[in-house]
Amino acid sequence: MEYTYAHYEESAAALRRRIGEFRPRVLMILGSGLGFLGDLVEEPVAVPYGEIPHFPVSTAPGHQGRMVFGRLRGVEVAVMQGRTHHYEGYSYQAVAYGVRVARLLGAERLIVTNAAGCVNTAWRAGELMLITDHIKIFMESPLRGENLDQFGPRFPDSSHLYTPALGELARRKAGELGVTLREGVYMYFPGPQYETPAEVRFARLAGADAVGMSTAPEVIVAGHCGMEVLGFTLLSNMAAGILDQPLSEDEVLEAAGAAREHFSALVLACLEEM
Ligand code: HPA
């Protein structure tokens, strides 16, 4: 379905009834392994997606999905626990629905994390990467269809989707924490199959350092409505064809578990100054 401005407004109004005067400043969309940060929110108000009108609800069992409002490291946040992906059958508009709702509630910044395959052969699985830019071509845009002028222009500039000043903050925090932070370009593939080795070579030729199945749609929509973005990738595995071994979800989840502590420390340290 194509959403109108009224859909987003209705969702935001329903949430305002739940959160009262509280206004989130930062929206957090957390990928594999970091969802637990939503449980650290203080004085949380958790609203299941199913209770927010028009909000896309995950159909996967055990993945109810909810938006948690409260303070984290002293900052007013909205945390999306559970995210949707295009490969699950959602439109790109639906995948990014929560971004616009959070924007209407007052969020001006987005922190987004994901796990992805490492394309850059000079790096290692398990490392963290600051996303400096992304490549999302071939698939349609979440902004396709009638432009909602209330959010932003028909042809938004994409020169600085990932906010340079927030990247600088991440660099500084990584230094303080002693966490190695790579920097590079994330290339979106719709999945759900992992890439072929030829696709990974193509991605490298295109200038990508990582390949993954999320994030770009949400960031495009966030940029459209004027939000600043800080994005991190956990390079959970070497991308297909680099090592002589098949890719598996188990490997991704294991890497996410191993990185959990320093990854969350870095994200929280950045959040604290946002
Ligand atoms: N490719 C795409 N998405 C991913 C990967 C990958 O290698 N690892 C984790 N998410």
Side-chain angles (χ1 to χ4, degrees):
M1 81 178 266
E2 192 152 321
Y3 300 103
T4 66
Y5 191 69
H7 289 109
Y8 298 101
E9 272 194 321
E10 257 183 66
S11 301
L15 285 167
R16 282 189 201 102
R17 287 192 286 276
R18 302 288 292 269
I19 62 178
E21 296 297 301
F22 179 86
R23 292 294 170 264
R25 288 203 291 120
V26 178
L27 170 65
M28 304 179 81
I29 303 179
L30 305 168
S32 310
L34 286 194
F36 78 97
L37 289 180
D39 298 327
L40 305 183
V41 171
E42 289 164 29
E43 294 179 46
V45 176
V47 185
Y49 295 156
E51 294 175 17
I52 310 171
H54 315 302
F55 213 94
V57 178
S58 179
T59 49
H63 281 266
Q64 217 233 328
R66 56 186 204 155
M67 217 156 183
V68 184
F69 298 88
R71 278 171 200 276
L72 197 52
R73 292 284 174 102
V75 178
E76 294 85 357
V77 294
V79 181
M80 286 183 67
Q81 269 187 323
R83 109 198 292 174
T84 51
H85 302 80
H86 187 68
Y87 61 71
E88 295 172 77
Y90 300 97
S91 69
Y92 285 118
Q93 275 198 345
V95 166
Y97 191 84
V99 173
R100 284 178 162 175
V101 173
R103 180 76 191 98
L104 288 179
L105 293 176
E108 292 173 340
R109 287 175 157 179
L110 167 67
I111 297 181
V112 60
T113 74
N114 61 54
C118 182
V119 170
N120 189 322
T121 53
W123 301 347
R124 292 288 160 263
E127 293 186 320
L128 302 181
M129 183 185 92
L130 171 70
I131 306 174
T132 55
D133 203 351
H134 76 220
I135 300 172
K136 182 195 179 296
I137 42 178
F138 305 135
M139 298 293 285
E140 70 184 41
S141 166
L143 304 177
R144 177 175 179 264
E146 184 194 348
N147 186 56
L148 300 182
D149 299 330
Q150 297 94 331
F151 287 114
R154 170 76 292 185
F155 300 107
D157 177 46
S158 302
S159 303
H160 297 290
L161 274 181
Y162 298 83
T163 309
L166 294 179
E168 189 50 51
L169 169 66
R171 236 169 255 135
R172 179 159 55 81
K173 289 295 169 188
E176 286 172 18
L177 291 167
V179 172
T180 302
L181 183 60
R182 305 295 191 178
E183 298 187 21
V185 174
Y186 175 92
M187 184 162 182
Y188 174 83
F189 280 83
Q193 73 286 356
Y194 291 115
E195 300 71 29
T196 64
E199 286 166 339
V200 171
R201 288 195 297 276
F202 172 80
R204 188 177 301 119
L205 209 59
D209 297 289
V211 285
M213 308 175 196
S214 68
T215 302
E218 295 99 315
V219 170
I220 290 170
V221 166
H224 179 249
C225 61
M227 293 172 77
E228 295 189 331
V229 176
L230 175 59
F232 294 106
T233 288
L234 164 65
L235 303 163
S236 56
N237 54 279
M238 296 311 284
I242 296 179
L243 305 177
D244 187 22
Q245 64 185 48
L247 272 52
S248 76
E249 189 185 10
D250 287 348
E251 185 186 8
V252 173
L253 294 177
E254 198 179 305
R260 184 179 140 121
E261 234 164 84
H262 59 281
F263 198 3
S264 60
L266 176 60
V267 168
L268 289 174
C270 291
L271 173 67
E272 205 165 36
E273 289 199 22
M274 286 175 64

